[in-house]
Every structure is written in structure tokens, then in C-alpha cells.
Amino acid sequence: MYWQRKNWFHHFVWTVALLYTCFHVKAFAPFSKGDQLTPPAKISKPAPPAKALISKFDPIIYQTAQKHRIDWRLISSIISVESSFRPHVTSRAGAKGLMQVMPAVAREYKVRSQKLYHPQTNIQIGTRHFLNWMRVIKGETGEDVLKLTLAAYN
């Protein structure tokens, strides 16, 4: 039990990273020390398959990803780890919905807590929150930024 409490954070980060890389996505090019992070618009956004391979929420995820210029498979990976694609789940800490958004975060985006169980609202708020963390976090490489953002999102 001690091991689980001590390493849950690392487990979360590596699980999301593993899920994301399982889709063979190269979201960020290698960086040298002075380079800027590649803007999200430069990230390739493959279209989702005609039939949802990952979940029934793929069309919503893809639409949100296009709007925010982020790879839809990364959002799917986060949802898989956070809620296993169950939209009505609530954590012991109070995080709600697919992307496990906290009510305080919802208030920042002027959304009522009860709307967090609605998949489209939850995915939009969670994606915006993730991208805000990505803009704030600094790293030497794109991979560092992605890992630190995943850790901060959790």
C-alpha cells in the first residue's frame, strides 16, 4: 500500500505517456535549449476513423481537439487514464466526468459543477485546462513539457 501511495503520481504520468505513444504519435519535435515550443497548430491531427475505435466519445474529442489545435489521441489517452471513458464518475477528491475536472476549475471557466457530467462540456473544460498548463510550463524539450503538463493536469 505504501508503494502505491508513493508512486501513484509517476504511474499516472507514465501511463498517459505510454497510451499516447501507443498511437505512434510524434506530437513534438526535438528541441535545442533556445528553441520555442512548436505551436499546437503544427501538430498533426489525423482524422478519427469512421467507426470509433477508442470510445463512443471520439467525435466530441475530435471536434474539441480541432477547435483547440491539439492531437485528439492525447485527449483520448488522458480520458482513458482519468475515467476509463465513464462520464458519470466522481473521484474521492471530487473531480467529475470524463477528464476528472475539479469543480473549482469549472468555476474558473464559468461552468456550473453539475455540467461537468456532460461529456462535451467536460472534454472542453479539461482540454482548455490542459492547454493552459502547457502554456505555463517550461521545459528544455517538447517531451519535458508534455510530461510536466501531464503531471500538472493530474
Side-chain angles (χ1 to χ4, degrees), residues 100-113:
Q100 290 293 283
V101 177
M102 292 295 286
V105 173
R107 283 191 296 273
E108 288 178 25
Y109 295 102
K110 298 181 182 10
V111 173
R112 290 181 313 157
S113 178

Side-chain angles (χ1 to χ4, degrees), residues 130-142:
F130 181 81
L131 290 173
N132 283 341
W133 274 112
M134 195 170 232
R135 288 183 192 101
V136 169
I137 292 174
K138 306 291 183 223
E140 289 194 19
T141 65

Side-chain angles (χ1 to χ4, degrees), residues 6-142:
K6 183 178 178 187
N7 293 318
W8 70 268
F9 173 77
H10 298 290
H11 174 72
F12 169 79
V13 172
W14 288 111
T15 303
V16 171
L18 177 65
L19 283 170
Y20 187 61
T21 56
C22 283
F23 297 118
H24 305 290
V25 176
K26 184 172 176 106
F28 299 102
F31 292 93
S32 61
K33 192 168 185 168
D35 290 345
Q36 294 291 327
L37 181 65
T38 304
K42 303 273 184 194
I43 297 173
S44 64
K45 298 181 295 282
K51 292 184 178 179
L53 289 177
I54 299 172
S55 77
K56 65 181 181 180
F57 304 108
D58 284 353
I60 298 169
I61 294 168
Y62 184 70
Q63 180 184 22
T64 303
Q66 274 189 318
K67 179 181 175 183
H68 295 288
R69 298 179 182 164
I70 188 170
D71 194 313
W72 70 279
R73 295 171 294 187
L74 177 59
I75 297 171
S76 290
S77 298
I78 293 170
I79 292 171
S80 175
V81 169
E82 291 288 340
S83 67
S84 300
F85 295 101
R86 294 177 295 169
H88 299 288
V89 69
T90 302
S91 73
R92 288 181 290 200
K96 299 177 179 184
L98 290 168
M99 293 190 76
Q100 290 293 283
V101 177
M102 292 295 286
V105 173
R107 283 191 296 273
E108 288 178 25
Y109 295 102
K110 298 181 182 10
V111 173
R112 290 181 313 157
S113 178
Q114 289 304 100
K115 287 199 151 208
L116 290 177
Y117 292 116
H118 186 265
Q120 187 165 5
T121 302
N122 192 281
I123 292 169
Q124 288 175 354
I125 298 297
T127 302
R128 287 174 60 193
H129 188 60
F130 181 81
L131 290 173
N132 283 341
W133 274 112
M134 195 170 232
R135 288 183 192 101
V136 169
I137 292 174
K138 306 291 183 223
E140 289 194 19
T141 65

